[in-house]
Amino acid sequence: MAYADAHILIVTCASQTGLVAAWSGCLFDAGANIIEIHQHADLAEGQFFMRIAFTAATPPDRAILAQVAARFDAHWQFYPAGARQRVLIMVSKFDHCLADLLYRWRIGELAMDPVAIVSNHPREATRAVATDDIPFHYLPVTPMTKAAQEEQLWRLVTETGADLVVLARYMQVLSNEMAAKLSGRCINIHHSFLPSFKGSRPYHQAQARGVKLIGATAHYVTADLDEGPIIEQDVERISHADTPDDLIRKGRDVERRVLSKAVHYHLQRRVIVNGHRTVVFPD
Amino acid sequence: MAYADAHILIVTCASQTGLVAAWSGCLFDAGANIIEIHQHADLAEGQFFMRIAFTAATPPDRAILAQVAARFDAHWQFYPAGARQRVLIMVSKFDHCLADLLYRWRIGELAMDPVAIVSNHPREATRAVATDDIPFHYLPVTPMTKAAQEEQLWRLVTETGADLVVLARYMQVLSNEMAAKLSGRCINIHHSFLPSFKGSRPYHQAQARGVKLIGATAHYVTADLDEGPIIEQDVERISHADTPDDLIRKGRDVERRVLSKAVHYHLQRRVIVNGHRTVVFPD
Amino acid sequence: MAYADAHILIVTCASQTGLVAAWSGCLFDAGANIIEIHQHADLAEGQFFMRIAFTAATPPDRAILAQVAARFDAHWQFYPAGARQRVLIMVSKFDHCLADLLYRWRIGELAMDPVAIVSNHPREATRAVATDDIPFHYLPVTPMTKAAQEEQLWRLVTETGADLVVLARYMQVLSNEMAAKLSGRCINIHHSFLPSFKGSRPYHQAQARGVKLIGATAHYVTADLDEGPIIEQDVERISHADTPDDLIRKGRDVERRVLSKAVHYHLQRRVIVNGHRTVVFPD
Amino acid sequence: MAYADAHILIVTCASQTGLVAAWSGCLFDAGANIIEIHQHADLAEGQFFMRIAFTAATPPDRAILAQVAARFDAHWQFYPAGARQRVLIMVSKFDHCLADLLYRWRIGELAMDPVAIVSNHPREATRAVATDDIPFHYLPVTPMTKAAQEEQLWRLVTETGADLVVLARYMQVLSNEMAAKLSGRCINIHHSFLPSFKGSRPYHQAQARGVKLIGATAHYVTADLDEGPIIEQDVERISHADTPDDLIRKGRDVERRVLSKAVHYHLQRRVIVNGHRTVVFPD
């Protein structure tokens, strides 16, 4: 849904009585019209999550919203629905996720501004993808230069004003420090299997184990590698006839689909982190 | 979610400002605590739909809810969440949907009270299903006796106090009058294909046409056969190697899955009819 | 496909030239007509797998098939397609898989003869399922009595002539000895997640971890618990709104679907074990 | 699977005894090694279909294959597995299918040579897609100029030696004559719904009807519009909250996925037309 004057309000706080009434009443008093309301009460944790999309000729006064928030000790965020996030995309040699994100951006499906593409491989490695005039930064990395490379990366994040960093099959592990700095605004994609496999060449392991499904998981990056809050997952059916190369091919489809969906949800402010988990309000 | 003292409020009215604030405010004033709120604004039709699940030590006064409804010219319904609907199930010779519904009832998954099983075939036709002590009514029907049979059926609906009638592969078309009487509380299941086929033996037609997916649709019954508001749909993948018998076998799985899901949503008051369509608030 | 005089030939051997020609030539000479041929060459392992369904007025002479097998040092099996396997089903308290298997048997979908139901809980525990006149055996088990209980179980397997044992949510681990005795003819179902979880209450772990998909895996039982050759897997989509109880409910659907499919493939001789994996020739 | 010296043999004929033996025997005598054999007997129509992939140091003599074919009155085709088909892609304004096909070609997933892109709109219309140095032909069309435009198109097909024409959301109907000329080598993609909708703006119709699934169908083009033999189908789940624009967005994903899969199967010679249907041997 697209409205010229729409806004998104995100609220998180401890569960308590009167939350919906207070926030919706405050918006009504400010002349706003609610288009969409999503709410989730995590009863086990006693946490409350709400996303309200509303239109208003004049946006509500932030001071008034702050007063309501103070009453409930709530964490809140408030965005114009049309605000485009600035996105820095990182990639290594496999560019299927990058290609998919950029195509969806070009046709207006992903409302983002790609401000930089960063790769630990030269531009030639991702030659199948037209990156137009998005600045491409080649930041090679070795165990020795990792700290310096991440410093360069952080400078780029800062200089470009990136709101979101997408690891679109970036095959390097971010340091704990970097993961902490990008907390809640860095999305990674990785393959997933039933059961899961540790170590390298997971598609080869999956083929050797004879699984009948392969999958992918998009999640926020945390210091704990591949264990951050999950945003989206999906699977693809395979068979005994699939070679590891076939699995890699079929894996590309599910990887790009899952990552693009996760980025779409994030850009629409539909994902709220809840500890090790996420609340995702679907569109 | 199960709460001893939970209630469900369903509201439908023309879209207008202040709806969420008014209803949530009214519930807050009545000492209620909102557990779950779902809302949908059909912008093209200018209609508003809301389902609120809340707990309250004392249920809100119906007079107060009626006052709010009057302000907005709203249609509203109010149920204890734990109230079990009385369900009459109709069947012909194929009993896979009946078997599935009854199993889910027995293990407590479907919170309903089956008050009668009605078939146009004798009890022996559905012998694979244990119906325990649910009264079984054999109501044979021919073109000549249809009116009389439907009279018997209606008497059963009335006498058993059935809230919902489920056509679980009942292979007779209800008359327009009967469909009208059961409006909004009669669910049917039928097979669906891409493209769709008219006439008899649809699985044979699907096989002859070489479709790669077969599906099923659960919908409310209206005078317009197989064209009522859709509640749930799903598909199953097939191949050139499938004979019509294979399609019928694979169709059984998707039919029972789709019908049980639709009944589950209906029993939980998660389905609201919106003209020729439904709003389904998922759990 | 059902033919009065159909047979199934299964061949496994080292990959080599001339296999298809030799076996199909031998069947042609014996007056057989091939209905369906499936073949798989595992190139990494150098193994060849073939399943041929054929009709023949007179079944081919086993001595002639043995001669062909000897030329290629092949392992082979030969069955009348209509031969029904004798199946012993084991269950604990959750009877959704048992109910599904028995319903499919009653309507003729699973061509098996259930010869016994064995439970470590009394008959009352699975009261939602009509077991008709299938003998029910209550074999309680404690760590102290495990050896004796498995002796009883083995006696039952022997006495009933069971070809296949299905662990339909039997919540006890078979001993390594028992698993070895039932090698290749004992199918288990267990839940699966991305990532996978060790230990008890996996649905609670899955909910705590915030996964977006839950799944189930049917596999042959081996001494290595839950790690035997996988026959079939599937998943179900879940959301942050699902409680552990919702996951258990949704898990039932995928568990019963996956187990019934795996049993169906096994009964049709469509599964061939290939080391830690299976070859499954779909119908 | 990729082999330097692999070949594909496709055989279609009336069902009869001895077919597998004769063809596999002939290949064995020619020193070939069968890698993969797929076969389908359409019992209702009495038709036999076979695809054999084999390796051979020297390809078998075509005269010998022709002799076997003559014995069975069989239609046969014989290709080097590595032979790349020349593909002409047609597009209008929506370029998501074009973009997907070209990306898969660039990374080596689709083994084809794109020889031309033809559009009834100027190059600017599909500006989101990099077409590199693939010749782009702007062939505008009006009811008055349709015959002349198709003549130009046919000349292009001839001059480029195109083996396959892909209608990648080309929004014009080919004439019956053109469809006939391209019989068996022209693939189209169109949206599919349960039930199906006739006429324009199908996604708007689907939204108005309240369907819960949208789908896409890839099929060979025949004179009977949208009714040619189906190669592949898939669906995407939608909800009441989706606007027609959301359906169009979600439809793009399933359209491109289904078309690319159909083209992949065709390029691998895995599709055989069987009257109004196809036989698709999966990889």
Side-chain angles (χ1 to χ4, degrees):
Chain A
M1 277 178 281
Y3 299 87
D5 56 353
H7 293 80
I8 308 290
L9 174 69
I10 304 289
V11 175
T12 313
C13 61
S15 285
Q16 51 203 295
T17 300
L19 283 161
V20 176
W23 287 99
S24 59
C26 153
L27 289 174
F28 176 65
D29 293 341
N33 188 22
I34 292 177
I35 308 162
E36 206 182 70
I37 179 167
H38 285 98
Q39 154 280 351
H40 172 59
D42 181 335
L43 299 165
E45 304 288 333
Q47 284 291 303
F48 172 88
F49 305 88
M50 188 164 59
R51 177 189 187 273
I52 300 182
F54 62 90
T55 55
T58 321
D61 189 338
R62 299 184 75 92
I64 292 175
L65 294 173
Q67 279 173 21
V68 181
R71 269 178 57 199
F72 296 106
D73 198 16
H75 180 72
W76 65 288
Q77 293 161 285
F78 177 51
Y79 313 94
R84 294 166 76 87
Q85 296 187 48
R86 300 169 71 81
V87 179
L88 183 152
I89 305 175
M90 301 191 70
V91 69
S92 293
K93 284 184 178 170
F94 304 114
D95 53 17
H96 50 287
C97 288
L98 174 66
D100 196 48
L101 290 167
L102 292 184
Y103 178 75
R104 290 177 195 269
W105 158 65
R106 278 190 202 108
I107 64 169
E109 190 175 306
L110 288 179
M112 63 182 187
D113 289 322
V115 292
I117 296 168
V118 172
S119 177
N120 59 326
H121 290 275
R123 178 69 187 92
E124 298 77 68
T126 48
R127 71 188 179 286
V129 181
T131 53
D132 299 358
D133 47 359
I134 306 166
F136 184 98
H137 304 269
Y138 169 38
L139 302 187
V141 60
T142 66
M144 297 290 286
T145 64
K146 189 181 181 87
Q149 192 245 23
E150 287 202 342
E151 227 169 275
Q152 288 179 284
L153 173 60
W154 181 246
R155 205 175 310 133
L156 262 178
V157 171
T158 312
E159 287 172 8
T160 58
D163 300 296
L164 175 67
V165 172
V166 179
L167 307 187
R169 301 288 282 144
Y170 178 67
M171 305 304 280
Q172 297 289 323
V173 179
L174 297 187
S175 69
N176 288 357
E177 294 69 35
M178 197 56 166
K181 279 180 185 172
L182 293 173
S183 175
R185 55 185 185 119
C186 180
I187 296 176
N188 185 34
I189 181 75
H190 71 83
H191 26 65
S192 307
F193 305 95
L194 312 144
S196 41
F197 303 105
K198 302 284 177 200
S200 67
R201 306 220 306 170
Y203 284 112
H204 289 75
Q205 289 189 62
Q207 203 266 347
R209 181 66 183 81
V211 297
K212 303 300 185 190
L213 297 173
I214 58 171
T217 295
H219 64 97
Y220 287 115
V221 171
T222 56
D224 193 359
L225 174 67
D226 288 351
E227 293 286 330
I230 294 168
I231 304 170
E232 173 67 2
Q233 299 186 295
D234 208 349
V235 294
E236 195 88 358
R237 188 161 285 272
I238 59 164
S239 85
H240 62 265
D242 287 306
T243 62
D245 278 353
D246 292 326
L247 298 200
I248 290 166
R249 169 170 60 86
K250 294 181 178 185
R252 280 197 294 264
D253 270 42
V254 65
E255 286 168 9
R256 73 176 191 177
R257 186 165 75 237
V258 166
L259 180 60
S260 289
K261 216 166 193 175
V263 170
H264 171 74
Y265 286 147
H266 179 93
L267 293 176
Q268 294 215 340
R269 320 279 184 187
R270 293 184 178 278
V271 192
I272 310 178
V273 174
N274 175 20
H276 297 302
R277 286 174 285 167
T278 63
V279 173
V280 180
F281 295 127
D283 60 344
Chain B
M1 276 177 281
Y3 300 87
D5 55 353
H7 293 81
I8 308 290
L9 174 70
I10 304 289
V11 176
T12 313
C13 62
S15 284
Q16 50 203 295
T17 301
L19 283 162
V20 175
W23 287 99
S24 60
C26 154
L27 289 175
F28 176 64
D29 293 341
N33 188 23
I34 293 177
I35 309 162
E36 206 181 69
I37 180 166
H38 286 98
Q39 155 279 354
H40 172 59
D42 180 336
L43 299 165
E45 304 288 334
Q47 285 291 302
F48 172 87
F49 304 88
M50 187 164 59
R51 178 189 186 274
I52 300 182
F54 61 90
T55 53
T58 320
D61 190 337
R62 298 185 76 92
I64 292 173
L65 294 173
Q67 279 174 19
V68 181
R71 272 178 55 200
F72 296 106
D73 198 17
H75 181 72
W76 64 290
Q77 292 161 287
F78 176 51
Y79 313 94
R84 294 166 77 86
Q85 295 188 48
R86 299 169 72 79
V87 179
L88 184 153
I89 305 175
M90 300 191 71
V91 68
S92 292
K93 284 182 177 170
F94 303 115
D95 54 16
H96 50 286
C97 288
L98 175 65
D100 197 48
L101 290 168
L102 292 185
Y103 178 75
R104 290 177 195 270
W105 159 64
R106 277 190 202 107
I107 63 169
E109 190 176 305
L110 287 179
M112 64 182 185
D113 289 323
V115 291
I117 296 168
V118 172
S119 177
N120 59 326
H121 290 276
R123 178 69 187 90
E124 297 77 66
T126 48
R127 69 186 181 286
V129 181
T131 53
D132 299 1
D133 47 1
I134 306 167
F136 184 96
H137 304 268
Y138 169 38
L139 301 187
V141 61
T142 67
M144 297 289 287
T145 63
K146 189 181 181 89
Q149 193 246 20
E150 287 202 343
E151 226 169 273
Q152 286 179 288
L153 173 59
W154 181 247
R155 205 174 312 134
L156 262 179
V157 170
T158 312
E159 285 172 8
T160 58
D163 301 295
L164 176 67
V165 173
V166 179
L167 307 187
R169 299 289 281 142
Y170 178 67
M171 305 304 279
Q172 298 289 321
V173 179
L174 297 187
S175 67
N176 288 357
E177 294 69 37
M178 197 57 169
K181 279 180 186 171
L182 293 173
S183 175
R185 55 186 184 118
C186 180
I187 297 175
N188 186 35
I189 181 76
H190 71 83
H191 26 64
S192 308
F193 304 96
L194 310 147
S196 41
F197 302 105
K198 302 284 178 196
S200 66
R201 306 221 304 170
Y203 284 111
H204 288 74
Q205 289 189 63
Q207 202 266 349
R209 180 66 184 81
V211 300
K212 303 300 185 192
L213 296 174
I214 57 172
T217 296
H219 64 97
Y220 286 115
V221 171
T222 57
D224 193 0
L225 176 66
D226 288 350
E227 292 287 329
I230 295 168
I231 305 169
E232 174 67 2
Q233 298 186 295
D234 207 350
V235 294
E236 195 88 359
R237 189 162 284 273
I238 59 165
S239 86
H240 62 264
D242 286 306
T243 62
D245 279 352
D246 292 327
L247 298 200
I248 289 167
R249 169 170 60 86
K250 293 181 178 184
R252 278 197 295 264
D253 270 42
V254 66
E255 285 167 10
R256 73 176 191 177
R257 185 165 76 237
V258 167
L259 180 59
S260 290
K261 216 167 193 175
V263 170
H264 171 75
Y265 286 148
H266 178 94
L267 293 176
Q268 294 215 338
R269 320 277 184 189
R270 293 184 177 278
V271 191
I272 310 178
V273 173
N274 175 20
H276 297 303
R277 287 174 283 165
T278 62
V279 173
V280 180
F281 294 128
D283 61 343
Chain C
M1 277 176 282
Y3 299 86
D5 55 352
H7 294 80
I8 308 290
L9 174 69
I10 304 289
V11 176
T12 313
C13 62
S15 285
Q16 51 202 294
T17 301
L19 284 162
V20 176
W23 287 99
S24 60
C26 153
L27 290 174
F28 177 66
D29 293 341
N33 188 24
I34 292 177
I35 308 162
E36 208 182 67
I37 180 166
H38 286 97
Q39 155 279 352
H40 172 61
D42 180 335
L43 299 166
E45 304 288 333
Q47 285 291 303
F48 172 87
F49 305 88
M50 187 165 58
R51 177 189 187 274
I52 300 182
F54 61 90
T55 53
T58 320
D61 189 338
R62 298 186 75 93
I64 293 174
L65 294 173
Q67 280 174 19
V68 181
R71 271 179 55 200
F72 296 106
D73 198 15
H75 181 72
W76 64 288
Q77 293 161 287
F78 176 50
Y79 313 94
R84 295 166 76 86
Q85 294 188 48
R86 301 170 70 82
V87 179
L88 183 153
I89 305 174
M90 300 191 72
V91 67
S92 291
K93 285 182 177 170
F94 304 115
D95 54 16
H96 51 286
C97 288
L98 174 66
D100 197 48
L101 290 168
L102 292 185
Y103 178 74
R104 291 177 195 269
W105 159 64
R106 277 190 202 107
I107 65 168
E109 190 175 306
L110 288 179
M112 63 183 186
D113 290 322
V115 291
I117 296 168
V118 172
S119 177
N120 59 327
H121 291 274
R123 179 68 188 89
E124 296 78 67
T126 48
R127 69 188 178 286
V129 182
T131 53
D132 300 357
D133 48 359
I134 306 167
F136 184 96
H137 304 269
Y138 169 38
L139 302 188
V141 61
T142 66
M144 297 289 287
T145 64
K146 190 183 181 87
Q149 193 245 21
E150 287 202 342
E151 226 168 273
Q152 286 178 287
L153 173 60
W154 181 246
R155 206 175 310 134
L156 263 179
V157 170
T158 311
E159 286 172 8
T160 58
D163 301 295
L164 175 67
V165 172
V166 179
L167 307 187
R169 300 290 281 144
Y170 178 67
M171 305 304 279
Q172 297 289 323
V173 179
L174 297 187
S175 69
N176 288 358
E177 294 70 33
M178 197 56 166
K181 279 179 184 172
L182 293 173
S183 174
R185 56 184 184 121
C186 180
I187 297 175
N188 185 35
I189 181 75
H190 71 82
H191 27 63
S192 307
F193 305 96
L194 312 144
S196 42
F197 304 105
K198 301 284 178 197
S200 66
R201 305 221 304 171
Y203 283 112
H204 288 74
Q205 290 189 62
Q207 202 266 347
R209 181 66 184 81
V211 297
K212 304 300 185 190
L213 297 174
I214 57 172
T217 296
H219 63 98
Y220 287 115
V221 171
T222 56
D224 193 359
L225 174 68
D226 288 349
E227 294 285 331
I230 294 169
I231 305 169
E232 174 67 3
Q233 299 185 297
D234 207 351
V235 294
E236 195 88 358
R237 188 161 285 273
I238 60 164
S239 85
H240 61 265
D242 286 306
T243 62
D245 278 353
D246 291 326
L247 297 200
I248 289 167
R249 169 170 60 86
K250 294 181 178 184
R252 278 196 295 264
D253 271 41
V254 66
E255 285 167 10
R256 74 176 188 176
R257 187 165 74 238
V258 167
L259 180 60
S260 289
K261 216 167 193 175
V263 170
H264 171 75
Y265 286 147
H266 178 93
L267 293 176
Q268 293 215 339
R269 321 280 184 185
R270 292 183 178 278
V271 192
I272 310 178
V273 173
N274 176 19
H276 297 302
R277 287 174 285 166
T278 62
V279 173
V280 180
F281 295 126
D283 61 343
Chain D
M1 275 177 282
Y3 299 87
D5 55 353
H7 294 81
I8 308 290
L9 174 69
I10 304 288
V11 176
T12 313
C13 62
S15 285
Q16 50 202 295
T17 301
L19 283 162
V20 175
W23 287 100
S24 60
C26 153
L27 290 174
F28 176 65
D29 293 341
N33 189 24
I34 293 177
I35 308 161
E36 207 182 68
I37 180 167
H38 285 98
Q39 154 280 350
H40 172 60
D42 180 336
L43 299 165
E45 305 288 333
Q47 285 291 303
F48 172 87
F49 305 88
M50 188 164 59
R51 177 190 188 273
I52 301 182
F54 62 90
T55 53
T58 320
D61 190 337
R62 298 185 76 93
I64 293 173
L65 295 173
Q67 279 173 19
V68 181
R71 269 178 57 200
F72 296 106
D73 198 15
H75 180 73
W76 65 289
Q77 293 161 285
F78 176 50
Y79 314 95
R84 294 166 76 87
Q85 295 187 49
R86 300 170 70 81
V87 179
L88 183 152
I89 306 175
M90 301 191 70
V91 69
S92 292
K93 284 183 177 171
F94 304 115
D95 54 16
H96 51 287
C97 288
L98 174 66
D100 196 48
L101 290 168
L102 292 185
Y103 177 75
R104 290 177 194 270
W105 158 65
R106 276 189 203 108
I107 64 169
E109 190 175 306
L110 287 179
M112 63 183 186
D113 289 323
V115 290
I117 297 169
V118 171
S119 177
N120 58 328
H121 291 274
R123 179 68 188 91
E124 297 77 68
T126 48
R127 67 187 182 286
V129 182
T131 53
D132 299 359
D133 47 0
I134 306 166
F136 183 96
H137 304 269
Y138 169 38
L139 301 187
V141 62
T142 66
M144 297 290 286
T145 63
K146 189 181 180 87
Q149 192 245 22
E150 288 202 342
E151 227 169 273
Q152 286 180 286
L153 173 59
W154 182 247
R155 205 173 312 132
L156 262 178
V157 170
T158 312
E159 286 172 9
T160 58
D163 301 295
L164 175 67
V165 173
V166 179
L167 307 187
R169 301 287 282 144
Y170 177 67
M171 306 304 279
Q172 298 289 322
V173 179
L174 297 187
S175 69
N176 289 357
E177 294 69 35
M178 197 57 166
K181 279 181 186 169
L182 294 172
S183 175
R185 55 185 184 120
C186 179
I187 297 176
N188 185 35
I189 181 75
H190 72 82
H191 27 63
S192 308
F193 305 95
L194 311 146
S196 42
F197 303 105
K198 301 285 177 196
S200 66
R201 306 220 305 168
Y203 283 112
H204 288 73
Q205 290 189 63
Q207 202 266 347
R209 181 65 184 83
V211 299
K212 304 299 184 191
L213 297 174
I214 58 172
T217 296
H219 63 97
Y220 286 115
V221 171
T222 57
D224 193 359
L225 174 67
D226 288 352
E227 294 286 331
I230 295 169
I231 305 169
E232 174 67 1
Q233 299 185 296
D234 208 351
V235 294
E236 196 87 359
R237 188 161 285 271
I238 60 165
S239 85
H240 62 265
D242 286 307
T243 63
D245 278 354
D246 291 327
L247 298 200
I248 290 167
R249 168 170 60 85
K250 294 181 178 184
R252 279 198 293 265
D253 270 42
V254 65
E255 285 166 10
R256 73 176 189 177
R257 186 165 76 236
V258 166
L259 180 59
S260 289
K261 215 166 193 175
V263 170
H264 171 74
Y265 286 147
H266 178 93
L267 293 176
Q268 292 215 340
R269 321 277 184 187
R270 293 184 177 277
V271 191
I272 309 177
V273 174
N274 175 20
H276 298 302
R277 288 174 283 167
T278 62
V279 173
V280 180
F281 294 126
D283 61 343

